[in-house]
């Protein structure tokens, strides 16, 4: 499994717009065969900071995700209303690697 965490800072005054735009990606991603989990987390101390926690079956599933219409539409809508680039962190989530 591959875990991707995406950190996003939203410009002030655009949080509601961000949530609506991200709903497109959320709903589409949860239907993807290779997507095992998709959570949108909001910082309780700063309502403009979000972390997207995604778990994919493998890197190929992530590649498929990046090519989907819902992902592309979400990126198109959120890019103008976020501050700076989306920061992505990846983790190998195979428990057998650690036991």
């Amino acid at each position: 499994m591959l875990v991707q965490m995406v950190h996003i800072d939203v410009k002030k005054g655009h949080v509601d717009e961000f949530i609506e735009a991200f709903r497109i990606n959320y709903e589409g991603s949860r239907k993807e065969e290779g997507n095992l989990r998709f959570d949108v987390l909001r910082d309780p101390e700063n309502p403009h900071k979000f972390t997207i926690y995604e778990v994919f079956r493998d890197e190929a599933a992530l590649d498929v995700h990046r090519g989907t219409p819902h992902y592309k539409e979400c990126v198109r809508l959120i890019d103008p209303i976020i501050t700076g680039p989306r920061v992505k962190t990846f983790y190998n989530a195979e428990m057998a690697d650690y036991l």
Side-chain angles (χ1 to χ4, degrees), residues 11 27 30-31 36 38-39 41 46-47 62-63 67 72 76 81 90-91 94 97:
K11 293 178 181 176
E27 290 175 353
R30 293 183 60 120
K31 296 175 185 173
L36 306 176
F38 193 102
D39 296 317
L41 310 171
N46 183 340
L62 176 58
D63 289 341
K72 291 178 181 180
R76 183 186 73 76
I81 61 171
F90 299 93
Y91 300 92
E94 298 298 331
D97 293 343

Side-chain angles (χ1 to χ4, degrees), residues 25-88:
N25 193 29
Y26 172 82
E27 290 175 353
S29 296
R30 293 183 60 120
K31 296 175 185 173
E32 293 173 27
E33 183 179 325
N35 181 276
L36 306 176
R37 186 170 186 103
F38 193 102
D39 296 317
V40 179
L41 310 171
R42 189 173 186 182
D43 186 327
E45 295 180 15
N46 183 340
H48 295 92
K49 290 185 177 278
F50 291 83
T51 298
I52 315 307
Y53 177 80
E54 303 168 88
V55 180
F56 293 93
R57 183 180 58 238
D58 52 27
E59 195 166 336
L62 176 58
D63 289 341
V64 168
H65 168 70
R66 290 179 178 150
T68 60
H70 55 265
Y71 173 81
K72 291 178 181 180
E73 177 67 3
C74 177
V75 169
R76 183 186 73 76
L77 292 170
I78 70 169
D79 273 353
I81 61 171
I82 62 175
T83 62
R86 292 167 280 132
V87 178
K88 299 177 181 181

